[in-house]
Amino acid sequence: GWGNQESQYYTKDSRNCFIQDGKLVIRALEQKMGNFNYTSARVRTYGETSWRYGRFDIKAKLPMGGGSWPAIWMMPLESVYGGWPASGEIDIMETSYSIYRNKILGTTHTTNGHGGNSVGGSRIMGETIYNDFHTYSIEWFILTQKATFVKSFYKKGGRYPLPSLCGNQVFHFSL
């Protein structure tokens, strides 16, 4: 994994990431790789396409099982204000079956809020979180010249600040 104590090693192997019936499939396999007992894939749009502001809707079905940490998140194309979290991070959706069970988190990270002090919200989804496809959404917009905001749909009316230093950058997706 690349953080969060994940149990898998990310590969570029087509058995871990492929298109099937018009859907992107990211699959974990029981396969020894280095110190890990599982392999999976990470998909990033870095160097391919990126965004600044907008509404983002992602339809996904999440894996169930200990050791996985499914997430749909955005990182700045360049870390112009320093390493993580100084240049910002937008978590559209993340969860961990081992820790959160049926809870989805939506979070912004900056130097003012990261780790346990991050700014965001959560929503209990129930068991359908792992059985069905759900749409995870945010709106990223300018509120004033000094602040941009991420509006999450996990909490009614929830707005999470992403300071203009971070929010005026171009971000890419990671899955």
Side-chain angles (χ1 to χ4, degrees):
W2 303 106
N4 298 326
Q5 291 75 50
E6 296 166 81
S7 299
Q8 70 270 353
Y9 181 87
Y10 292 126
T11 75
K12 293 182 180 182
D13 191 319
S14 62
R15 293 175 295 167
N16 291 116
C17 185
F18 52 92
I19 303 292
Q20 181 177 357
D21 299 327
K23 297 177 181 92
L24 173 66
V25 177
I26 300 173
R27 177 178 290 159
L29 298 172
E30 189 171 356
Q31 177 181 6
K32 186 99 172 121
M33 182 75 65
N35 294 327
F36 298 90
N37 292 320
Y38 299 91
T39 60
S40 187
R42 178 173 76 158
V43 177
R44 300 181 338 146
T45 65
Y46 183 86
E48 299 294 328
T49 190
S50 53
W51 296 265
R52 180 185 299 145
Y53 314 127
R55 180 181 169 119
F56 304 94
D57 298 299
I58 296 92
K59 191 171 185 175
K61 184 177 175 183
L62 307 180
M64 182 168 72
S68 67
W69 197 290
I72 302 165
W73 44 293
M74 299 176 77
M75 294 291 289
L77 210 51
E78 298 180 32
S79 295
V80 295
Y81 302 110
W84 187 89
S87 293
E89 175 184 330
I90 303 170
D91 295 332
I92 297 170
M93 179 289 307
E94 70 176 321
T95 190
S96 168
Y97 183 80
S98 301
I99 299 170
Y100 303 114
R101 292 285 184 223
N102 302 321
K103 186 187 288 188
I104 296 295
L105 307 176
T107 313
T108 58
H109 298 273
T110 67
T111 52
N112 294 328
H114 66 280
N117 298 319
S118 55
V119 180
S122 64
R123 180 175 173 197
I124 304 293
M125 300 285 289
E127 285 298 322
T128 66
I129 187 175
Y130 304 107
N131 300 327
D132 300 323
F133 280 88
H134 295 278
T135 301
Y136 303 98
S137 304
I138 63 160
E139 287 179 352
W140 177 19
F141 57 95
I142 300 171
L143 190 61
T144 69
Q145 287 185 355
K146 294 185 177 183
T148 63
F149 280 82
V150 172
K151 180 179 179 185
S152 173
F153 293 86
Y154 304 118
K155 199 172 181 184
K156 189 174 183 178
R159 287 185 177 174
Y160 312 130
L162 189 62
S164 60
L165 286 178
C166 301
N168 64 5
Q169 295 186 81
V170 175
F171 279 58
H172 70 278
F173 273 98
S174 287
L175 307 172

